[in-house]
């Protein structure tokens, strides 16, 4: 009998403990706990893995602490472009949207694509029109804006850098536990339900100061999101370009399926060897068909949590050691 389990992440990045307040850290821990516990309750009540990950990511999108949905980062031009993907491990069905700026919850649009289209990925205005035709809530683009993200863009513009460079000097003045200028904000969830089905969902605002039209790994099945009942469900967060080049999420499934590696071996290989070798930073969450959980990251921290049905939820931000 499979014990259902869910894991979530809210992005990975660098830690500036000196800039962190206990109050802010508590806000992050509480948000992670509330959302992972909600997913755990859904699974305990018999929800599918797909429903649990969709709802967990929708809640993460609604929380302005995280870079997805409300609270998404700004592009170089001061706009928002959001990406999301869902994948069903039972059928290998995928739905995804990229470069949308008017869909309140991109993960719901991705789910609508999965359920209602023979296509896999819609972009921009076409994605918004498809979502509208399926009654997915639309908002004005400034719905996603927050003062903290605007200040983050101004810092990026004044240093003339895209905030992909986590080696750059931290300049932020607030008390976010992970340095918001060196944080790879993406949110995601993976789950195994009581029927043995796996699912994954990933959503992001991308990178602060990114060029308009740039798309990262999050909406790309196999790169930032993947689920296959035969192996594993994965959601990634990090330097999108490197996660695309390494096909990070799929590589874990392939190593497990074709090379007989354990979840732990495969996920550590991808994050600490392959992604790092190409200069990438970030992490991932993964659950395999047996219910094993892996939460590796090569950055200094990653907002993360997991909860098995019937057991206490665990959340963390920093390295454990
Ligand atoms: N990993 C999120 C992005 O690169 O857009």
């Amino acid at each position: 009998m499979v014990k259902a389990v869910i894991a979530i992440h809210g992005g990975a990045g660098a830690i500036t403990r000196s800039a962190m307040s206990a109050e802010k850290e508590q806000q992050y821990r509480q948000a992670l706990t509330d959302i992972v516990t909600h997913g755990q309750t859904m699974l305990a009540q018999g929800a599918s893995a797909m429903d649990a990950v969709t709802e967990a990511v929708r809640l993460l999108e609604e929380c302005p602490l995280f870079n997805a949905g409300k609270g998404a980062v700004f592009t170089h031009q001061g706009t928002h472009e959001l990406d999301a993907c869902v994948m069903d491990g039972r059928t290998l069905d995928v739905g995804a949207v990229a470069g949308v700026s008017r869909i309140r919850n991109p993960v719901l649009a991705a789910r609508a694509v999965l359920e209602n289209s023979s296509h896999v990925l819609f972009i921009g205005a076409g994605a918004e029109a498809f979502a509208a035709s399926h009654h997915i809530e639309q908002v004005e683009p400034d719905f996603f804006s927050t003062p903290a993200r605007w200040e983050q863009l101004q810092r990026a513009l004044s240093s003339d850098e895209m905030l992909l460079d986590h080696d750059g000097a931290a300049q932020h003045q607030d008390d976010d536990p992970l340095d918001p200028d060196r944080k790879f904000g993406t949110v995601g969830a993976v789950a195994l339900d009581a029927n043995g089905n796996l699912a994954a969902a990933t959503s992001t605002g991308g990178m602060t100061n990114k060029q308009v039209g740039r798309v990262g790994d999050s909406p790309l099945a196999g790169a930032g999101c993947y689920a296959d009942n035969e192996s594993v469900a994965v959601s990634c967060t990090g330097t999108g370009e490197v996660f695309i080049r390494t096909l990070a999420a799929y590589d874990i499934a392939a190593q497990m399926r074709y090379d007989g590696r354990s979840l732990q071996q495969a996920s550590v290989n991808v994050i600490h060897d392959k992604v790092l070798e190409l200069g990438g930073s970030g992490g991932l969450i993964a659950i395999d068909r047996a219910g094993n959980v892996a939460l590796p990251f090569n950055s200094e921290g990653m907002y993360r949590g997991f909860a098995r049905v019937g057991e206490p939820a665990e959340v963390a931000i920093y390295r454990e050691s």
Side-chain angles (χ1 to χ4, degrees):
M1 174 72 179
V2 172
K3 190 177 238 188
V5 54
I6 184 167
I8 63 171
H9 71 79
I15 299 169
T16 50
R17 284 175 187 263
S18 60
M20 175 196 72
S21 75
E23 187 186 357
K24 194 78 171 196
E25 179 176 339
Q26 183 52 30
Q27 284 177 21
Y28 277 92
R29 288 186 184 278
Q30 193 62 53
L32 291 168
T33 302
D34 290 348
I35 294 169
V36 81
T37 304
H38 185 75
Q40 177 192 43
T41 301
M42 287 180 69
L43 290 171
Q45 293 173 345
S48 68
M50 177 54 73
D51 282 347
V53 298
T54 303
E55 179 62 5
V57 168
R58 188 191 71 79
L59 292 170
L60 287 159
E61 289 176 342
E62 288 290 305
C63 180
L65 293 173
F66 303 110
N67 171 22
K70 178 82 179 168
V73 298
F74 285 91
T75 67
H76 181 73
Q77 284 79 355
T79 57
H80 300 286
E81 294 188 343
L82 314 179
D83 309 325
C85 182
V86 294
M87 185 158 180
D88 186 340
R90 188 173 57 90
T91 58
L92 302 186
D93 282 337
V94 175
V97 295
V100 298
S101 56
R102 293 178 176 275
I103 297 173
R104 175 170 179 150
N105 295 111
V107 72
L108 297 185
R111 180 77 184 265
V113 172
L114 182 149
E115 291 180 341
N116 300 296
S117 176
S118 58
H119 301 315
V120 162
L121 170 62
F122 283 76
I123 62 166
E128 288 163 359
F130 180 88
S133 74
H134 289 88
H135 311 292
I136 303 295
E137 183 177 352
Q138 309 270 313
V139 291
E140 291 302 315
D142 65 2
F143 167 83
F144 303 106
S145 306
T146 63
R149 297 298 187 205
W150 182 252
E151 287 164 22
Q152 201 175 332
L153 175 64
Q154 301 318 305
R155 288 194 297 276
L157 291 171
S158 64
S159 65
D160 200 24
E161 285 179 359
M162 187 164 66
L163 291 180
L164 291 170
D165 181 8
H166 63 285
D167 294 327
Q171 300 170 37
H172 81 289
Q173 301 297 316
D174 66 20
D175 55 1
D176 188 332
L178 294 189
D179 179 347
D181 290 356
R182 301 190 295 158
K183 183 170 81 182
F184 301 110
T186 295
V187 306
V190 291
L192 173 71
D193 65 28
N195 293 319
N197 292 315
L198 289 164
T202 307
S203 180
T204 190
M207 301 290 190
T208 295
N209 202 18
K210 68 181 180 182
Q211 290 300 309
V212 164
R214 175 265 186 192
V215 176
D217 61 310
S218 303
L220 302 181
C225 187
Y226 191 74
D228 180 353
N229 274 11
E230 294 299 316
S231 52
V232 67
V234 183
S235 173
C236 301
T237 172
T239 324
E241 285 71 9
V242 173
F243 282 75
I244 294 171
R245 291 164 64 201
T246 54
L247 280 178
Y250 177 71
D251 194 19
I252 292 172
Q255 290 190 32
M256 293 177 69
R257 197 153 173 203
Y258 305 122
D259 204 20
R261 291 198 180 192
S262 69
L263 172 65
Q264 190 65 19
Q265 289 170 329
S267 55
V268 165
N269 171 262
V270 167
I271 289 300
H272 293 285
D273 295 337
K274 293 185 170 177
V275 167
L276 212 51
E277 278 164 16
L278 292 185
S281 179
L284 59 83
I285 55 173
I287 296 176
D288 71 14
R289 57 190 290 198
N292 296 304
V293 175
L295 313 166
F297 52 95
N298 64 28
S299 50
E300 291 170 63
M302 181 170 78
Y303 299 111
R304 61 198 187 277
F306 75 97
R308 295 182 194 283
V309 167
E311 296 182 16
E314 293 184 28
V315 302
I317 300 174
Y318 312 112
R319 289 188 191 286
E320 299 290 74
S321 55

